[in-house]
Every structure is written in structure tokens, then in C-alpha cells.
Amino acid sequence: MERTADLFLFRLAKLASVSGQPLVRLCEGKYGITRREWRLIVVLSQEGPLLSTALARRASIEPARTSRTVTQLVVRGLAERIPRSNDRRCIEIHLTQRARDIYADLYPVVREIEGALLAGLSAQDRAELSRLLSMLESTAGALVPPEELPKADRRKLHRK
């Protein structure tokens, strides 16, 4: 009988949770931001201002959650919504200097954590891991589209 601990998705979630703890502690404890806010800061830092839909796609976060997270970033003074000059209906998300400073401070630490996590792997192992992850990401993207799966009504789940 297969144990839950042997399931790939369970192991992957456990690895993400355990290896992500230092990042979560830094994000929340030192910078007062969530992991999701950090993801958007990383994407915007590396790719420049984006429309919310493009940001959601590049960060692999649902558009509605991206919108809520952008609102949190704006409220915290970490991002701004700026209309494009040639089409004021298109609103770009821009990082503030404060967010860019957080990125400049935190990103090297994240790279150190990643380096420590992968330190036991040879260069060949790292290349193979990267290849396998790319293959799994591609396969995962071809699975049943989320819009075809049932969605929980979270309002009902939180009622007593």
C-alpha cells in the first residue's frame, strides 16, 4: 500500500514548505510582506512594469489573487498603478523605490538559501533536476485546466 508520504505531490509540497521557511520568516518578519507579495516584487523587479494580467501569468498566480495582492502592495506603498500614456485604460503595475530596495536586499539572501539547498548536488545533478522540473512544469500545464474543475465557494466554508 502506498503511503501518503510517498506521493510525489505530497513530497513536493513538503519540500516547498520546509525549504521556504527561511524566506517566509524573512519576508514576514523583516520586511512585513507575504510570500505572494514577494513573488510579485521579484517578477516586477526583473521584468519591469506589467499589466495585471501579464503579472498574474508570469507569477503563476490566479488573476483575482494577483489583483488583491497588487492592492496590498499599493496600500503598503510598495507598488503603484499607473495608466499607460497611450491608452489610459491599460494600468501598469510599477514598484516603488521601497519595493526595489527590498528586492535588492532580499534577493541575494534567497540565492544563498537556494545555493545551500542545492549544495549537495553536482553540476550534472543540477542540470538534470532543472531538465526534469521543466518537463514536469510542461506536463502540469497540460493537465485539466483549472476552469474545468469545481471551485469551492469559500464564503460557505467560513459560515458557522
Side-chain angles (χ1 to χ4, degrees):
M1 180 171 123
E2 188 174 36
R3 298 176 330 131
T4 301
D6 296 329
L7 293 173
F8 174 74
L9 292 177
F10 182 84
R11 292 181 69 195
L12 191 60
K14 184 177 175 183
L15 173 63
S17 177
V18 170
S19 63
Q21 280 306 310
L23 174 61
V24 170
R25 297 288 298 269
L26 282 168
C27 285
E28 294 175 354
K30 186 172 182 181
Y31 300 100
I33 60 174
T34 66
R35 188 176 0 185
R36 187 174 294 139
E37 289 168 338
W38 169 243
R39 269 169 80 180
L40 296 188
I41 288 171
V42 169
V43 171
L44 290 168
S45 291
Q46 294 179 355
E47 299 191 29
L50 293 168
L51 299 176
S52 187
T53 52
L55 179 57
R57 192 171 41 258
R58 289 195 176 90
S60 298
I61 301 173
E62 294 175 9
R65 288 185 179 188
T66 299
S67 180
R68 286 192 297 272
T69 305
V70 166
T71 297
Q72 292 169 338
L73 289 171
V74 169
V75 167
R76 293 180 183 188
L78 298 171
E80 299 173 305
R81 289 182 172 109
I82 300 176
R84 284 188 174 164
S85 58
N86 62 342
D87 186 350
R88 303 204 46 84
R89 294 170 297 171
C90 294
I91 309 297
E92 290 181 329
I93 313 304
H94 292 248
L95 291 178
T96 63
Q97 185 59 49
R98 188 166 149 236
R100 289 191 294 276
D101 291 345
I102 290 172
Y103 175 82
D105 195 36
L106 185 54
Y107 191 76
V109 176
V110 171
R111 295 290 298 179
E112 285 177 25
I113 293 168
E114 180 178 287
L117 179 65
L118 298 174
L121 300 179
S122 69
Q124 184 178 355
D125 288 341
R126 288 181 190 205
E128 181 67 5
L129 179 60
S130 180
R131 185 188 72 75
L132 291 170
L133 286 172
S134 293
M135 188 173 73
L136 288 169
E137 289 168 351
S138 177
T139 302
L143 294 176
V144 178
E147 60 271 5
E148 292 182 19
L149 296 172
K151 188 172 180 180
D153 183 350
R154 303 234 182 261
R155 294 170 297 190
K156 286 182 183 177
L157 294 175
H158 295 292
R159 287 186 195 141
K160 295 189 179 198

